[in-house]
Amino acid sequence: FMAQAHALDPAAVVEAVADGAARGQREFHVRTQLIGIMSRTFGPATATRELEALLAHRDKLVALDIAGDEARWPGSLFRDHFRRGRDAGWHITVHAGESAGPTSVWQAVRELGAERLGHAVRASEDPALLDYLAEQRIGIESCLTSNVQTSTVASYAQHPLATYLAHGLLATINTDDPAISGITLTHELTVAAPAAHLSPALIRRAQANALAVAFLSEAEKAQLVSPS
């Protein structure tokens, strides 16, 4: 999006973002990792151009994702993109089950190799899918406020996150885009999560799940929970 709006080289935009993130880590001592994202909405050909820009700096990224209009552009159209992403050594996360139903989620895990799922709200419509996600320990990046704002769910109270956690899924609490939604992670933990019927114990479980599905080594995860 930045490249198109300003007639820039997409690979150079990726490089600039990666350099900016690295500088932020040095100056603020906060660990940051980057996920490259493609857009379904402009079709497979544009996604290929996005992918090429990401691959030009593959060592600065840890994962590949896709978002956009999943109802009109199903995951089956992007199998080769994600094969190349896996071949590059990246983790895979896929936005699915937001504007399309359980079939989109099945495609994400079976055809694209998703280790994590963005939103996956409509996975709740398929009990067999919920069992599969729990058994395969596939993470779910739940975004409570965003899902209400986009009318993916009618209200916090109708969000399936509490059900996912009770079912043993590795569901987590996320902000989606905090600038667009006008929220912070603190808001999601203290306001949105209780409104979605998450008890303090379920909120703690979601936080533990976030570490479990983070794209970090086991040693890095252990370091985060060890006494400083």
Side-chain angles (χ1 to χ4, degrees), residues 2-92:
M2 287 183 283
Q4 186 176 37
H6 301 284
L8 302 173
D9 173 16
V13 171
V14 174
E15 182 179 24
V17 171
D19 288 349
R23 178 181 175 184
Q25 289 188 80
R26 291 192 301 270
E27 295 185 1
F28 297 101
H29 309 291
V30 175
R31 175 69 180 276
T32 301
Q33 295 196 131
L34 299 177
I35 297 174
I37 188 166
M38 302 176 292
S39 175
R40 300 174 187 260
T41 307
F42 301 105
T46 296
T48 297
R49 292 195 292 274
E50 293 171 327
L51 179 60
E52 295 292 350
L54 298 169
L55 287 170
H57 302 284
R58 69 183 68 194
D59 294 339
K60 297 181 179 180
L61 308 174
V62 299
L64 181 66
D65 191 1
I66 194 167
D69 188 350
E70 57 179 317
R72 294 182 60 189
W73 300 97
S76 57
L77 297 174
F78 303 93
R79 284 192 292 254
D80 187 61
H81 299 74
F82 281 92
R83 178 193 58 76
R84 294 180 65 192
R86 296 193 303 273
D87 289 346
W90 289 334
H91 292 285
I92 301 297

Side-chain angles (χ1 to χ4, degrees), residues 108-120:
V109 295
R110 287 181 166 170
E111 300 182 31
L112 307 183
E115 304 163 62
R116 294 193 332 219
L117 298 162
H119 302 293

Side-chain angles (χ1 to χ4, degrees), residues 1-205:
F1 297 113
M2 287 183 283
Q4 186 176 37
H6 301 284
L8 302 173
D9 173 16
V13 171
V14 174
E15 182 179 24
V17 171
D19 288 349
R23 178 181 175 184
Q25 289 188 80
R26 291 192 301 270
E27 295 185 1
F28 297 101
H29 309 291
V30 175
R31 175 69 180 276
T32 301
Q33 295 196 131
L34 299 177
I35 297 174
I37 188 166
M38 302 176 292
S39 175
R40 300 174 187 260
T41 307
F42 301 105
T46 296
T48 297
R49 292 195 292 274
E50 293 171 327
L51 179 60
E52 295 292 350
L54 298 169
L55 287 170
H57 302 284
R58 69 183 68 194
D59 294 339
K60 297 181 179 180
L61 308 174
V62 299
L64 181 66
D65 191 1
I66 194 167
D69 188 350
E70 57 179 317
R72 294 182 60 189
W73 300 97
S76 57
L77 297 174
F78 303 93
R79 284 192 292 254
D80 187 61
H81 299 74
F82 281 92
R83 178 193 58 76
R84 294 180 65 192
R86 296 193 303 273
D87 289 346
W90 289 334
H91 292 285
I92 301 297
T93 180
V94 176
H95 283 60
E98 184 181 17
S99 63
T103 298
S104 180
V105 180
W106 281 116
Q107 286 177 334
V109 295
R110 287 181 166 170
E111 300 182 31
L112 307 183
E115 304 163 62
R116 294 193 332 219
L117 298 162
H119 302 293
V121 175
R122 295 186 61 187
S124 58
E125 300 170 12
D126 185 344
L129 177 56
L130 294 186
D131 290 342
Y132 182 85
L133 297 177
E135 292 165 3
Q136 299 299 314
R137 297 181 60 80
I138 293 171
I140 294 178
E141 306 156 4
S142 290
C143 305
L144 295 166
T145 294
S146 173
N147 293 156
V148 172
Q149 291 174 335
T150 60
S151 298
T152 304
V153 295
S155 66
Y156 289 127
Q158 295 185 43
H159 200 284
L161 177 55
T163 299
Y164 289 172
L165 292 167
H167 200 78
L169 275 68
L170 292 177
T172 65
I173 298 171
N174 301 264
T175 57
D176 203 0
D177 191 319
I180 290 176
S181 291
I183 50 91
T184 62
L185 184 57
T186 299
H187 176 275
E188 296 302 273
L189 293 169
T190 62
V191 177
H197 303 305
L198 268 68
S199 65
L202 287 181
I203 293 172
R204 288 193 295 272
R205 186 181 302 174

